[in-house]
Amino acid sequence: MKKGMLIACAAVFLLIAGSLGGIKLWRIQQRNQPGILLAFDDYSPESWEENFDLFDKYDARVTFFINAGEPTEFCYAAQERGHEIGFHTITHRNLLECTEDEMYQEAIVPIETFREEGFELTSFAYPYGNYNDQLNEKLLEHYNIVRGAWQCELNLKHNLRHGFVEAMGLDNGLFESQEAYEKSIRDILTGLKKEKGMVICMYSHAIGDGSWCISGERLEYLLQTAEELGLKFYRFQDLQDE
């Protein structure tokens, strides 16, 4: 083989190796990137859809845990914009107060209805955050993730492929003031930034000024602070696929 051809082959080999190395490094960085699982519960399609552009502004994809017996127009609109549809029972029943058959009708039967319309329900959030070990066991036969509502905790991304996870509430009524909210969010997200491969689950309900809502100002502060700190927004289904 001529010297020129050897040099050319060596150059191609180095180019390929460098490319593969870059891909490997990118995958490691993605795997290690900490982030936020942001969710909205119940069913407030108008306020949610009004903020689609705000989510796009910060490249945030979120999970909407909805109450409905079948896919709604909002479900299609949210999926089209890259968001996940999760489930929250049909009528927001407290599953601890349901018979086994009522629980099955509320939380499991709709899975097939949604699937037939192109929605794979793999994530479930408990109404009122009320659960027990027996419910977890039953629901995890049908969902990959079931979510509570009472704690702020860090989780390894790998551990959220299957199982139970808690979440931190972001509703306006949970914070004494805007200043208290901003301090809490910045402290939590600054700590999260230092933790490789970790995520935190956060949720609210409608987007607005009520006690059981998150205001637009507070939502944007969360999105903006996460962007500033280099945190990624994940959907629950993203971690199930990793």
PDB file of all heavy atoms in Angstrom, residues 87-108 124-132 134-136 138-139 143 146:
ATOM      1  N   PHE A  87     -51.576   9.273  34.079  1.00  0.00           N
ATOM      2  CA  PHE A  87     -52.947   9.056  34.536  1.00  0.00           C
ATOM      3  C   PHE A  87     -53.092   9.331  36.026  1.00  0.00           C
ATOM      4  O   PHE A  87     -52.152   9.147  36.806  1.00  0.00           O
ATOM      5  CB  PHE A  87     -53.399   7.628  34.207  1.00  0.00           C
ATOM      6  CG  PHE A  87     -54.892   7.504  34.098  1.00  0.00           C
ATOM      7  CD1 PHE A  87     -55.611   8.323  33.246  1.00  0.00           C
ATOM      8  CD2 PHE A  87     -55.584   6.577  34.865  1.00  0.00           C
ATOM      9  CE1 PHE A  87     -56.988   8.231  33.155  1.00  0.00           C
ATOM     10  CE2 PHE A  87     -56.960   6.469  34.774  1.00  0.00           C
ATOM     11  CZ  PHE A  87     -57.670   7.293  33.914  1.00  0.00           C
ATOM     12  N   HIS A  88     -54.356   9.757  36.395  1.00  0.00           N
ATOM     13  CA  HIS A  88     -54.627  10.237  37.751  1.00  0.00           C
ATOM     14  C   HIS A  88     -56.016   9.772  38.222  1.00  0.00           C
ATOM     15  O   HIS A  88     -56.630  10.424  39.043  1.00  0.00           O
ATOM     16  CB  HIS A  88     -54.547  11.771  37.721  1.00  0.00           C
ATOM     17  CG  HIS A  88     -54.358  12.440  39.043  1.00  0.00           C
ATOM     18  ND1 HIS A  88     -53.438  12.031  39.979  1.00  0.00           N
ATOM     19  CD2 HIS A  88     -54.974  13.528  39.588  1.00  0.00           C
ATOM     20  CE1 HIS A  88     -53.483  12.847  41.028  1.00  0.00           C
ATOM     21  NE2 HIS A  88     -54.426  13.753  40.824  1.00  0.00           N
ATOM     22  N   THR A  89     -56.466   8.662  37.666  1.00  0.00           N
ATOM     23  CA  THR A  89     -57.818   8.087  37.821  1.00  0.00           C
ATOM     24  C   THR A  89     -58.826   8.849  36.958  1.00  0.00           C
ATOM     25  O   THR A  89     -58.545   9.947  36.474  1.00  0.00           O
ATOM     26  CB  THR A  89     -58.330   8.045  39.280  1.00  0.00           C
ATOM     27  OG1 THR A  89     -58.681   9.353  39.702  1.00  0.00           O
ATOM     28  CG2 THR A  89     -57.327   7.395  40.205  1.00  0.00           C
ATOM     29  N   ILE A  90     -60.007   8.261  36.814  1.00  0.00           N
ATOM     30  CA  ILE A  90     -61.053   8.901  36.011  1.00  0.00           C
ATOM     31  C   ILE A  90     -61.651  10.094  36.749  1.00  0.00           C
ATOM     32  O   ILE A  90     -61.802  11.178  36.190  1.00  0.00           O
ATOM     33  CB  ILE A  90     -62.162   7.888  35.649  1.00  0.00           C
ATOM     34  CG1 ILE A  90     -61.606   6.756  34.780  1.00  0.00           C
ATOM     35  CG2 ILE A  90     -63.307   8.593  34.922  1.00  0.00           C
ATOM     36  CD1 ILE A  90     -62.614   5.656  34.481  1.00  0.00           C
ATOM     37  N   THR A  91     -62.008   9.901  38.016  1.00  0.00           N
ATOM     38  CA  THR A  91     -62.775  10.929  38.732  1.00  0.00           C
ATOM     39  C   THR A  91     -62.072  11.457  39.982  1.00  0.00           C
ATOM     40  O   THR A  91     -62.719  12.030  40.858  1.00  0.00           O
ATOM     41  CB  THR A  91     -64.155  10.379  39.145  1.00  0.00           C
ATOM     42  OG1 THR A  91     -63.967   9.278  40.054  1.00  0.00           O
ATOM     43  CG2 THR A  91     -64.939   9.908  37.941  1.00  0.00           C
ATOM     44  N   HIS A  92     -60.772  11.257  40.088  1.00  0.00           N
ATOM     45  CA  HIS A  92     -59.989  11.739  41.232  1.00  0.00           C
ATOM     46  C   HIS A  92     -60.446  11.103  42.542  1.00  0.00           C
ATOM     47  O   HIS A  92     -60.490  11.738  43.589  1.00  0.00           O
ATOM     48  CB  HIS A  92     -60.055  13.273  41.338  1.00  0.00           C
ATOM     49  CG  HIS A  92     -58.862  13.873  42.040  1.00  0.00           C
ATOM     50  ND1 HIS A  92     -58.830  14.083  43.400  1.00  0.00           N
ATOM     51  CD2 HIS A  92     -57.665  14.298  41.562  1.00  0.00           C
ATOM     52  CE1 HIS A  92     -57.667  14.619  43.734  1.00  0.00           C
ATOM     53  NE2 HIS A  92     -56.939  14.761  42.638  1.00  0.00           N
ATOM     54  N   ARG A  93     -60.734   9.826  42.504  1.00  0.00           N
ATOM     55  CA  ARG A  93     -61.120   9.107  43.712  1.00  0.00           C
ATOM     56  C   ARG A  93     -59.907   8.848  44.601  1.00  0.00           C
ATOM     57  O   ARG A  93     -58.799   8.591  44.119  1.00  0.00           O
ATOM     58  CB  ARG A  93     -61.729   7.741  43.341  1.00  0.00           C
ATOM     59  CG  ARG A  93     -63.096   7.797  42.693  1.00  0.00           C
ATOM     60  CD  ARG A  93     -64.189   8.077  43.704  1.00  0.00           C
ATOM     61  NE  ARG A  93     -64.247   7.086  44.769  1.00  0.00           N
ATOM     62  CZ  ARG A  93     -64.904   5.922  44.685  1.00  0.00           C
ATOM     63  NH1 ARG A  93     -65.532   5.579  43.555  1.00  0.00           N
ATOM     64  NH2 ARG A  93     -64.938   5.091  45.709  1.00  0.00           N
ATOM     65  N   ASN A  94     -60.133   8.901  45.900  1.00  0.00           N
ATOM     66  CA  ASN A  94     -59.128   8.483  46.862  1.00  0.00           C
ATOM     67  C   ASN A  94     -59.087   6.957  46.824  1.00  0.00           C
ATOM     68  O   ASN A  94     -60.016   6.292  47.290  1.00  0.00           O
ATOM     69  CB  ASN A  94     -59.500   8.975  48.262  1.00  0.00           C
ATOM     70  CG  ASN A  94     -58.483   8.594  49.319  1.00  0.00           C
ATOM     71  OD1 ASN A  94     -57.588   7.772  49.085  1.00  0.00           O
ATOM     72  ND2 ASN A  94     -58.607   9.183  50.494  1.00  0.00           N
ATOM     73  N   LEU A  95     -58.034   6.388  46.291  1.00  0.00           N
ATOM     74  CA  LEU A  95     -57.997   4.947  46.093  1.00  0.00           C
ATOM     75  C   LEU A  95     -57.978   4.168  47.401  1.00  0.00           C
ATOM     76  O   LEU A  95     -58.354   2.990  47.429  1.00  0.00           O
ATOM     77  CB  LEU A  95     -56.786   4.565  45.235  1.00  0.00           C
ATOM     78  CG  LEU A  95     -56.805   5.089  43.791  1.00  0.00           C
ATOM     79  CD1 LEU A  95     -55.630   4.514  43.012  1.00  0.00           C
ATOM     80  CD2 LEU A  95     -58.108   4.774  43.089  1.00  0.00           C
ATOM     81  N   LEU A  96     -57.570   4.807  48.493  1.00  0.00           N
ATOM     82  CA  LEU A  96     -57.608   4.130  49.791  1.00  0.00           C
ATOM     83  C   LEU A  96     -59.039   3.876  50.258  1.00  0.00           C
ATOM     84  O   LEU A  96     -59.279   3.036  51.123  1.00  0.00           O
ATOM     85  CB  LEU A  96     -56.859   4.944  50.840  1.00  0.00           C
ATOM     86  CG  LEU A  96     -55.336   5.024  50.704  1.00  0.00           C
ATOM     87  CD1 LEU A  96     -54.750   5.870  51.819  1.00  0.00           C
ATOM     88  CD2 LEU A  96     -54.710   3.634  50.704  1.00  0.00           C
ATOM     89  N   GLU A  97     -60.000   4.598  49.683  1.00  0.00           N
ATOM     90  CA  GLU A  97     -61.402   4.452  50.071  1.00  0.00           C
ATOM     91  C   GLU A  97     -62.194   3.611  49.068  1.00  0.00           C
ATOM     92  O   GLU A  97     -63.406   3.446  49.213  1.00  0.00           O
ATOM     93  CB  GLU A  97     -62.047   5.831  50.204  1.00  0.00           C
ATOM     94  CG  GLU A  97     -61.395   6.700  51.287  1.00  0.00           C
ATOM     95  CD  GLU A  97     -61.964   8.104  51.344  1.00  0.00           C
ATOM     96  OE1 GLU A  97     -62.778   8.442  50.451  1.00  0.00           O
ATOM     97  OE2 GLU A  97     -61.582   8.861  52.263  1.00  0.00           O
ATOM     98  N   CYS A  98     -61.513   3.076  48.065  1.00  0.00           N
ATOM     99  CA  CYS A  98     -62.173   2.293  47.024  1.00  0.00           C
ATOM    100  C   CYS A  98     -62.110   0.801  47.316  1.00  0.00           C
ATOM    101  O   CYS A  98     -61.156   0.319  47.939  1.00  0.00           O
ATOM    102  CB  CYS A  98     -61.510   2.545  45.665  1.00  0.00           C
ATOM    103  SG  CYS A  98     -61.748   4.207  45.007  1.00  0.00           S
ATOM    104  N   THR A  99     -63.125   0.083  46.844  1.00  0.00           N
ATOM    105  CA  THR A  99     -63.016  -1.371  46.831  1.00  0.00           C
ATOM    106  C   THR A  99     -62.012  -1.748  45.757  1.00  0.00           C
ATOM    107  O   THR A  99     -61.619  -0.913  44.928  1.00  0.00           O
ATOM    108  CB  THR A  99     -64.366  -2.015  46.512  1.00  0.00           C
ATOM    109  OG1 THR A  99     -64.726  -1.676  45.157  1.00  0.00           O
ATOM    110  CG2 THR A  99     -65.452  -1.555  47.464  1.00  0.00           C
ATOM    111  N   GLU A 100     -61.607  -3.002  45.745  1.00  0.00           N
ATOM    112  CA  GLU A 100     -60.650  -3.434  44.728  1.00  0.00           C
ATOM    113  C   GLU A 100     -61.220  -3.259  43.327  1.00  0.00           C
ATOM    114  O   GLU A 100     -60.516  -2.839  42.403  1.00  0.00           O
ATOM    115  CB  GLU A 100     -60.246  -4.890  44.956  1.00  0.00           C
ATOM    116  CG  GLU A 100     -59.150  -5.352  43.997  1.00  0.00           C
ATOM    117  CD  GLU A 100     -58.563  -6.696  44.379  1.00  0.00           C
ATOM    118  OE1 GLU A 100     -58.863  -7.207  45.471  1.00  0.00           O
ATOM    119  OE2 GLU A 100     -57.779  -7.233  43.562  1.00  0.00           O
ATOM    120  N   ASP A 101     -62.517  -3.555  43.154  1.00  0.00           N
ATOM    121  CA  ASP A 101     -63.133  -3.394  41.841  1.00  0.00           C
ATOM    122  C   ASP A 101     -63.221  -1.923  41.452  1.00  0.00           C
ATOM    123  O   ASP A 101     -62.968  -1.562  40.291  1.00  0.00           O
ATOM    124  CB  ASP A 101     -64.528  -4.011  41.827  1.00  0.00           C
ATOM    125  CG  ASP A 101     -65.179  -3.909  40.443  1.00  0.00           C
ATOM    126  OD1 ASP A 101     -64.647  -4.536  39.499  1.00  0.00           O
ATOM    127  OD2 ASP A 101     -66.184  -3.180  40.305  1.00  0.00           O
ATOM    128  N   GLU A 102     -63.560  -1.050  42.399  1.00  0.00           N
ATOM    129  CA  GLU A 102     -63.618   0.386  42.100  1.00  0.00           C
ATOM    130  C   GLU A 102     -62.240   0.907  41.720  1.00  0.00           C
ATOM    131  O   GLU A 102     -62.104   1.720  40.785  1.00  0.00           O
ATOM    132  CB  GLU A 102     -64.146   1.140  43.317  1.00  0.00           C
ATOM    133  CG  GLU A 102     -65.626   0.933  43.571  1.00  0.00           C
ATOM    134  CD  GLU A 102     -66.072   1.515  44.895  1.00  0.00           C
ATOM    135  OE1 GLU A 102     -65.226   1.676  45.814  1.00  0.00           O
ATOM    136  OE2 GLU A 102     -67.279   1.807  45.029  1.00  0.00           O
ATOM    137  N   MET A 103     -61.218   0.486  42.438  1.00  0.00           N
ATOM    138  CA  MET A 103     -59.854   0.884  42.094  1.00  0.00           C
ATOM    139  C   MET A 103     -59.502   0.445  40.677  1.00  0.00           C
ATOM    140  O   MET A 103     -58.937   1.214  39.894  1.00  0.00           O
ATOM    141  CB  MET A 103     -58.867   0.275  43.099  1.00  0.00           C
ATOM    142  CG  MET A 103     -57.405   0.644  42.867  1.00  0.00           C
ATOM    143  SD  MET A 103     -56.552  -0.304  41.573  1.00  0.00           S
ATOM    144  CE  MET A 103     -56.494  -1.919  42.343  1.00  0.00           C
ATOM    145  N   TYR A 104     -59.873  -0.789  40.348  1.00  0.00           N
ATOM    146  CA  TYR A 104     -59.563  -1.324  39.024  1.00  0.00           C
ATOM    147  C   TYR A 104     -60.251  -0.493  37.939  1.00  0.00           C
ATOM    148  O   TYR A 104     -59.638  -0.158  36.914  1.00  0.00           O
ATOM    149  CB  TYR A 104     -60.017  -2.783  38.964  1.00  0.00           C
ATOM    150  CG  TYR A 104     -59.530  -3.527  37.739  1.00  0.00           C
ATOM    151  CD1 TYR A 104     -58.250  -4.081  37.700  1.00  0.00           C
ATOM    152  CD2 TYR A 104     -60.344  -3.661  36.613  1.00  0.00           C
ATOM    153  CE1 TYR A 104     -57.798  -4.753  36.578  1.00  0.00           C
ATOM    154  CE2 TYR A 104     -59.896  -4.324  35.483  1.00  0.00           C
ATOM    155  CZ  TYR A 104     -58.620  -4.878  35.478  1.00  0.00           C
ATOM    156  OH  TYR A 104     -58.179  -5.526  34.361  1.00  0.00           O
ATOM    157  N   GLN A 105     -61.524  -0.150  38.161  1.00  0.00           N
ATOM    158  CA  GLN A 105     -62.261   0.638  37.176  1.00  0.00           C
ATOM    159  C   GLN A 105     -61.689   2.048  37.031  1.00  0.00           C
ATOM    160  O   GLN A 105     -61.622   2.587  35.923  1.00  0.00           O
ATOM    161  CB  GLN A 105     -63.746   0.719  37.573  1.00  0.00           C
ATOM    162  CG  GLN A 105     -64.489  -0.598  37.555  1.00  0.00           C
ATOM    163  CD  GLN A 105     -64.545  -1.228  36.172  1.00  0.00           C
ATOM    164  OE1 GLN A 105     -64.670  -0.532  35.166  1.00  0.00           O
ATOM    165  NE2 GLN A 105     -64.420  -2.549  36.115  1.00  0.00           N
ATOM    166  N   GLU A 106     -61.281   2.635  38.140  1.00  0.00           N
ATOM    167  CA  GLU A 106     -60.779   4.012  38.136  1.00  0.00           C
ATOM    168  C   GLU A 106     -59.375   4.141  37.552  1.00  0.00           C
ATOM    169  O   GLU A 106     -59.075   5.118  36.861  1.00  0.00           O
ATOM    170  CB  GLU A 106     -60.770   4.564  39.571  1.00  0.00           C
ATOM    171  CG  GLU A 106     -62.105   5.032  40.073  1.00  0.00           C
ATOM    172  CD  GLU A 106     -62.457   6.431  39.586  1.00  0.00           C
ATOM    173  OE1 GLU A 106     -61.542   7.178  39.192  1.00  0.00           O
ATOM    174  OE2 GLU A 106     -63.650   6.760  39.602  1.00  0.00           O
ATOM    175  N   ALA A 107     -58.526   3.179  37.853  1.00  0.00           N
ATOM    176  CA  ALA A 107     -57.101   3.372  37.582  1.00  0.00           C
ATOM    177  C   ALA A 107     -56.506   2.454  36.535  1.00  0.00           C
ATOM    178  O   ALA A 107     -55.447   2.763  35.976  1.00  0.00           O
ATOM    179  CB  ALA A 107     -56.306   3.209  38.886  1.00  0.00           C
ATOM    180  N   ILE A 108     -57.157   1.340  36.235  1.00  0.00           N
ATOM    181  CA  ILE A 108     -56.540   0.349  35.349  1.00  0.00           C
ATOM    182  C   ILE A 108     -57.317   0.150  34.048  1.00  0.00           C
ATOM    183  O   ILE A 108     -56.722   0.105  32.967  1.00  0.00           O
ATOM    184  CB  ILE A 108     -56.386  -0.995  36.093  1.00  0.00           C
ATOM    185  CG1 ILE A 108     -55.397  -0.807  37.269  1.00  0.00           C
ATOM    186  CG2 ILE A 108     -55.876  -2.085  35.157  1.00  0.00           C
ATOM    187  CD1 ILE A 108     -55.284  -1.996  38.193  1.00  0.00           C
ATOM    188  N   PHE A 124     -48.383   6.891  36.630  1.00  0.00           N
ATOM    189  CA  PHE A 124     -49.618   7.128  37.380  1.00  0.00           C
ATOM    190  C   PHE A 124     -49.314   7.957  38.617  1.00  0.00           C
ATOM    191  O   PHE A 124     -48.319   7.718  39.312  1.00  0.00           O
ATOM    192  CB  PHE A 124     -50.234   5.787  37.806  1.00  0.00           C
ATOM    193  CG  PHE A 124     -51.499   5.915  38.616  1.00  0.00           C
ATOM    194  CD1 PHE A 124     -52.727   6.013  37.989  1.00  0.00           C
ATOM    195  CD2 PHE A 124     -51.452   5.940  40.000  1.00  0.00           C
ATOM    196  CE1 PHE A 124     -53.897   6.144  38.737  1.00  0.00           C
ATOM    197  CE2 PHE A 124     -52.616   6.066  40.758  1.00  0.00           C
ATOM    198  CZ  PHE A 124     -53.840   6.168  40.117  1.00  0.00           C
ATOM    199  N   ALA A 125     -50.162   8.957  38.911  1.00  0.00           N
ATOM    200  CA  ALA A 125     -50.033   9.766  40.126  1.00  0.00           C
ATOM    201  C   ALA A 125     -51.264   9.555  41.006  1.00  0.00           C
ATOM    202  O   ALA A 125     -52.392   9.607  40.524  1.00  0.00           O
ATOM    203  CB  ALA A 125     -49.879  11.238  39.776  1.00  0.00           C
ATOM    204  N   TYR A 126     -51.037   9.320  42.295  1.00  0.00           N
ATOM    205  CA  TYR A 126     -52.142   9.072  43.221  1.00  0.00           C
ATOM    206  C   TYR A 126     -52.924  10.350  43.514  1.00  0.00           C
ATOM    207  O   TYR A 126     -52.327  11.373  43.882  1.00  0.00           O
ATOM    208  CB  TYR A 126     -51.604   8.535  44.548  1.00  0.00           C
ATOM    209  CG  TYR A 126     -51.198   7.093  44.521  1.00  0.00           C
ATOM    210  CD1 TYR A 126     -49.848   6.733  44.544  1.00  0.00           C
ATOM    211  CD2 TYR A 126     -52.153   6.080  44.492  1.00  0.00           C
ATOM    212  CE1 TYR A 126     -49.472   5.396  44.545  1.00  0.00           C
ATOM    213  CE2 TYR A 126     -51.779   4.737  44.490  1.00  0.00           C
ATOM    214  CZ  TYR A 126     -50.434   4.405  44.514  1.00  0.00           C
ATOM    215  OH  TYR A 126     -50.066   3.088  44.503  1.00  0.00           O
ATOM    216  N   PRO A 127     -54.251  10.326  43.392  1.00  0.00           N
ATOM    217  CA  PRO A 127     -55.057  11.452  43.872  1.00  0.00           C
ATOM    218  C   PRO A 127     -54.818  11.680  45.362  1.00  0.00           C
ATOM    219  O   PRO A 127     -54.753  10.716  46.144  1.00  0.00           O
ATOM    220  CB  PRO A 127     -56.491  10.986  43.608  1.00  0.00           C
ATOM    221  CG  PRO A 127     -56.366  10.045  42.447  1.00  0.00           C
ATOM    222  CD  PRO A 127     -55.068   9.320  42.693  1.00  0.00           C
ATOM    223  N   TYR A 128     -54.645  12.930  45.735  1.00  0.00           N
ATOM    224  CA  TYR A 128     -54.368  13.335  47.124  1.00  0.00           C
ATOM    225  C   TYR A 128     -53.030  12.787  47.639  1.00  0.00           C
ATOM    226  O   TYR A 128     -52.702  12.976  48.815  1.00  0.00           O
ATOM    227  CB  TYR A 128     -55.489  12.878  48.072  1.00  0.00           C
ATOM    228  CG  TYR A 128     -56.870  13.233  47.591  1.00  0.00           C
ATOM    229  CD1 TYR A 128     -57.700  12.263  47.039  1.00  0.00           C
ATOM    230  CD2 TYR A 128     -57.340  14.551  47.665  1.00  0.00           C
ATOM    231  CE1 TYR A 128     -58.971  12.588  46.579  1.00  0.00           C
ATOM    232  CE2 TYR A 128     -58.610  14.882  47.199  1.00  0.00           C
ATOM    233  CZ  TYR A 128     -59.415  13.905  46.662  1.00  0.00           C
ATOM    234  OH  TYR A 128     -60.670  14.233  46.194  1.00  0.00           O
ATOM    235  N   GLY A 129     -52.281  12.110  46.802  1.00  0.00           N
ATOM    236  CA  GLY A 129     -51.028  11.499  47.241  1.00  0.00           C
ATOM    237  C   GLY A 129     -51.233  10.342  48.185  1.00  0.00           C
ATOM    238  O   GLY A 129     -50.295   9.920  48.868  1.00  0.00           O
ATOM    239  N   ASN A 130     -52.448   9.774  48.216  1.00  0.00           N
ATOM    240  CA  ASN A 130     -52.774   8.709  49.176  1.00  0.00           C
ATOM    241  C   ASN A 130     -52.549   7.328  48.579  1.00  0.00           C
ATOM    242  O   ASN A 130     -53.112   6.992  47.529  1.00  0.00           O
ATOM    243  CB  ASN A 130     -54.230   8.837  49.623  1.00  0.00           C
ATOM    244  CG  ASN A 130     -54.450  10.064  50.486  1.00  0.00           C
ATOM    245  OD1 ASN A 130     -53.508  10.638  51.025  1.00  0.00           O
ATOM    246  ND2 ASN A 130     -55.694  10.489  50.624  1.00  0.00           N
ATOM    247  N   TYR A 131     -51.760   6.519  49.268  1.00  0.00           N
ATOM    248  CA  TYR A 131     -51.413   5.192  48.752  1.00  0.00           C
ATOM    249  C   TYR A 131     -51.035   4.282  49.917  1.00  0.00           C
ATOM    250  O   TYR A 131     -50.874   4.724  51.064  1.00  0.00           O
ATOM    251  CB  TYR A 131     -50.239   5.286  47.783  1.00  0.00           C
ATOM    252  CG  TYR A 131     -48.943   5.684  48.453  1.00  0.00           C
ATOM    253  CD1 TYR A 131     -48.045   4.720  48.916  1.00  0.00           C
ATOM    254  CD2 TYR A 131     -48.627   7.029  48.659  1.00  0.00           C
ATOM    255  CE1 TYR A 131     -46.871   5.082  49.556  1.00  0.00           C
ATOM    256  CE2 TYR A 131     -47.455   7.398  49.311  1.00  0.00           C
ATOM    257  CZ  TYR A 131     -46.586   6.426  49.751  1.00  0.00           C
ATOM    258  OH  TYR A 131     -45.428   6.780  50.403  1.00  0.00           O
ATOM    259  N   ASN A 132     -50.884   3.022  49.623  1.00  0.00           N
ATOM    260  CA  ASN A 132     -50.275   2.073  50.557  1.00  0.00           C
ATOM    261  C   ASN A 132     -49.503   1.037  49.747  1.00  0.00           C
ATOM    262  O   ASN A 132     -49.518   1.074  48.499  1.00  0.00           O
ATOM    263  CB  ASN A 132     -51.316   1.419  51.484  1.00  0.00           C
ATOM    264  CG  ASN A 132     -52.398   0.667  50.720  1.00  0.00           C
ATOM    265  OD1 ASN A 132     -52.182   0.187  49.597  1.00  0.00           O
ATOM    266  ND2 ASN A 132     -53.572   0.555  51.323  1.00  0.00           N
ATOM    267  N   GLN A 134     -50.024  -2.082  49.232  1.00  0.00           N
ATOM    268  CA  GLN A 134     -50.868  -2.969  48.430  1.00  0.00           C
ATOM    269  C   GLN A 134     -51.257  -2.308  47.108  1.00  0.00           C
ATOM    270  O   GLN A 134     -51.237  -2.950  46.055  1.00  0.00           O
ATOM    271  CB  GLN A 134     -52.120  -3.373  49.222  1.00  0.00           C
ATOM    272  CG  GLN A 134     -51.865  -4.305  50.397  1.00  0.00           C
ATOM    273  CD  GLN A 134     -51.189  -3.608  51.579  1.00  0.00           C
ATOM    274  OE1 GLN A 134     -51.370  -2.404  51.780  1.00  0.00           O
ATOM    275  NE2 GLN A 134     -50.428  -4.369  52.351  1.00  0.00           N
ATOM    276  N   LEU A 135     -51.600  -1.017  47.166  1.00  0.00           N
ATOM    277  CA  LEU A 135     -51.929  -0.291  45.936  1.00  0.00           C
ATOM    278  C   LEU A 135     -50.713  -0.201  45.027  1.00  0.00           C
ATOM    279  O   LEU A 135     -50.819  -0.388  43.805  1.00  0.00           O
ATOM    280  CB  LEU A 135     -52.436   1.110  46.275  1.00  0.00           C
ATOM    281  CG  LEU A 135     -53.877   1.216  46.753  1.00  0.00           C
ATOM    282  CD1 LEU A 135     -54.166   2.632  47.253  1.00  0.00           C
ATOM    283  CD2 LEU A 135     -54.853   0.849  45.633  1.00  0.00           C
ATOM    284  N   ASN A 136     -49.555   0.101  45.610  1.00  0.00           N
ATOM    285  CA  ASN A 136     -48.337   0.154  44.804  1.00  0.00           C
ATOM    286  C   ASN A 136     -48.116  -1.168  44.069  1.00  0.00           C
ATOM    287  O   ASN A 136     -47.810  -1.186  42.865  1.00  0.00           O
ATOM    288  CB  ASN A 136     -47.123   0.442  45.688  1.00  0.00           C
ATOM    289  CG  ASN A 136     -46.974   1.913  46.019  1.00  0.00           C
ATOM    290  OD1 ASN A 136     -47.629   2.758  45.426  1.00  0.00           O
ATOM    291  ND2 ASN A 136     -46.127   2.218  46.982  1.00  0.00           N
ATOM    292  N   LYS A 138     -50.267  -3.506  43.214  1.00  0.00           N
ATOM    293  CA  LYS A 138     -51.257  -3.753  42.163  1.00  0.00           C
ATOM    294  C   LYS A 138     -51.039  -2.854  40.950  1.00  0.00           C
ATOM    295  O   LYS A 138     -51.069  -3.307  39.800  1.00  0.00           O
ATOM    296  CB  LYS A 138     -52.671  -3.554  42.715  1.00  0.00           C
ATOM    297  CG  LYS A 138     -53.135  -4.651  43.673  1.00  0.00           C
ATOM    298  CD  LYS A 138     -54.563  -4.395  44.108  1.00  0.00           C
ATOM    299  CE  LYS A 138     -55.120  -5.569  44.911  1.00  0.00           C
ATOM    300  NZ  LYS A 138     -54.452  -5.750  46.197  1.00  0.00           N
ATOM    301  N   LEU A 139     -50.806  -1.572  41.219  1.00  0.00           N
ATOM    302  CA  LEU A 139     -50.673  -0.627  40.108  1.00  0.00           C
ATOM    303  C   LEU A 139     -49.380  -0.833  39.324  1.00  0.00           C
ATOM    304  O   LEU A 139     -49.335  -0.604  38.110  1.00  0.00           O
ATOM    305  CB  LEU A 139     -50.762   0.803  40.622  1.00  0.00           C
ATOM    306  CG  LEU A 139     -52.152   1.220  41.089  1.00  0.00           C
ATOM    307  CD1 LEU A 139     -52.123   2.594  41.740  1.00  0.00           C
ATOM    308  CD2 LEU A 139     -53.144   1.220  39.927  1.00  0.00           C
ATOM    309  N   TYR A 143     -48.443  -0.151  35.468  1.00  0.00           N
ATOM    310  CA  TYR A 143     -47.694   1.069  35.179  1.00  0.00           C
ATOM    311  C   TYR A 143     -46.225   0.842  35.525  1.00  0.00           C
ATOM    312  O   TYR A 143     -45.903   0.042  36.406  1.00  0.00           O
ATOM    313  CB  TYR A 143     -48.214   2.237  36.024  1.00  0.00           C
ATOM    314  CG  TYR A 143     -49.620   2.670  35.711  1.00  0.00           C
ATOM    315  CD1 TYR A 143     -50.701   2.170  36.438  1.00  0.00           C
ATOM    316  CD2 TYR A 143     -49.881   3.595  34.707  1.00  0.00           C
ATOM    317  CE1 TYR A 143     -51.995   2.569  36.175  1.00  0.00           C
ATOM    318  CE2 TYR A 143     -51.171   4.007  34.426  1.00  0.00           C
ATOM    319  CZ  TYR A 143     -52.223   3.491  35.163  1.00  0.00           C
ATOM    320  OH  TYR A 143     -53.509   3.885  34.888  1.00  0.00           O
ATOM    321  N   VAL A 146     -45.372   4.776  39.658  1.00  0.00           N
ATOM    322  CA  VAL A 146     -46.482   5.376  40.400  1.00  0.00           C
ATOM    323  C   VAL A 146     -45.886   6.440  41.313  1.00  0.00           C
ATOM    324  O   VAL A 146     -44.809   6.261  41.877  1.00  0.00           O
ATOM    325  CB  VAL A 146     -47.283   4.330  41.193  1.00  0.00           C
ATOM    326  CG1 VAL A 146     -47.994   3.387  40.239  1.00  0.00           C
ATOM    327  CG2 VAL A 146     -46.407   3.531  42.142  1.00  0.00           C
TER     328      VAL A 146
END
